[in-house]
Amino acid sequence: MLLTKELTKRPDLAEIVYSLRDVEETPYALCRFLRSTKFDVPTLLQRLESMAPDFQLAREKDFFPNLSSVMNGAPLYAFLKFYPFLTSGHAKNGCPVNYFLVGQIQAPMIFSLVDMAGFEAFMWHQSVHTFRKHVQAQQNPDIVRMESITVLDLSGLTYAAASSQEAMDAVKLASKIGDYFPEVRPGRAFVFVATWSCIHI
């Protein structure tokens, strides 16, 4: 396969694709990334090339296993009050289930507790350490797909909150980290609740 041949030449790119190797077999990792570019290998390699520098920086920090050391002393429970993203339980297909209270995000408060680097460290920690822990906790050894299901609660979401510069910065950073984990981070399987709630201007 062309991709595996190229990854053999570029161990820095292989590290991105196989970052969950202790809970995911190689064929599934390859397919996750190939699906993200509709099996266009040159496009995928270009994407991995652009992602490599930031990935290596995070990898040098072991993807921030100890959040307290990078969150400016802010307790995690306080951070999660303003960025209410929690993982709890598994769906019938074994995927970890995330609950994201989008309408309760308070971006200005998030960045009053942590700087952008601290928020980025949280996203890396969630994507590697927290996700890996929840995959290992599911009881069915035959489940191999590395993906999650996210329940988005939109109640309380306002236009002002969603369009603020702080909110846009948070969304851009979360999306950027999510690109390193196609199908794993929220972006593939969503369940919307409170869709009757309008965005108030």
Side-chain angles (χ1 to χ4, degrees):
M1 181 187 290
L2 175 59
L3 179 57
T4 54
K5 181 179 179 180
E6 292 299 322
L7 292 179
T8 300
K9 299 176 185 176
R10 292 290 306 274
D12 57 329
L13 304 187
E15 279 294 327
I16 301 174
V17 176
Y18 304 136
S19 61
L20 297 173
R21 61 172 62 83
D22 55 340
V23 291
E24 178 181 41
E25 296 178 16
T26 296
Y28 298 98
L30 293 170
C31 283
R32 272 197 304 112
F33 278 86
L34 285 167
R35 281 193 294 266
S36 71
T37 59
K38 298 182 179 179
F39 292 84
D40 185 330
V41 174
T43 297
L44 175 56
L45 290 171
Q46 290 178 1
R47 180 180 296 181
L48 292 171
E49 183 79 44
S50 68
M51 295 161 69
D54 286 344
F55 184 88
Q56 291 303 320
L57 289 175
R59 184 173 177 271
E60 288 172 6
K61 301 292 186 180
D62 191 24
F63 306 105
F64 309 96
N66 182 9
L67 279 180
S68 62
S69 66
V70 293
M71 297 189 71
N72 298 333
L76 184 58
Y77 71 83
F79 176 85
L80 291 175
K81 177 177 177 61
F82 304 119
Y83 189 80
F85 182 94
L86 299 171
T87 303
S88 179
H90 298 83
K92 289 183 178 180
N93 64 357
C95 297
V97 178
N98 307 309
Y99 299 89
F100 196 9
L101 307 182
V102 179
Q104 296 183 28
I105 294 176
Q106 298 183 48
M109 295 303 295
I110 293 172
F111 293 117
S112 72
L113 292 174
V114 301
D115 56 15
M116 189 64 73
F119 185 75
E120 183 172 359
F122 171 82
M123 296 305 302
W124 281 114
H125 178 91
Q126 287 288 106
S127 299
V128 177
H129 298 292
T130 300
F131 179 75
R132 181 184 289 135
K133 178 184 72 175
H134 286 288
V135 169
Q136 291 171 332
Q138 63 90 9
Q139 300 298 311
N140 188 342
D142 296 325
I143 295 173
V144 292
R145 291 200 66 153
M146 297 293 104
E147 64 182 25
S148 61
I149 295 172
T150 300
V151 179
L152 297 178
D153 188 338
L154 305 181
S155 59
L157 184 63
T158 66
Y159 178 82
S163 60
S164 70
Q165 186 59 55
E166 293 93 343
M168 295 303 296
D169 289 343
V171 168
K172 287 178 182 178
L173 182 53
S175 298
K176 170 188 165 185
I177 304 302
D179 285 344
Y180 291 86
F181 305 93
E183 301 183 10
V184 171
R185 297 297 301 142
R188 175 175 169 84
F190 286 119
V191 177
F192 288 91
V193 298
T195 51
W196 46 265
S197 178
C198 297
I199 297 180
H200 301 289
I201 300 177

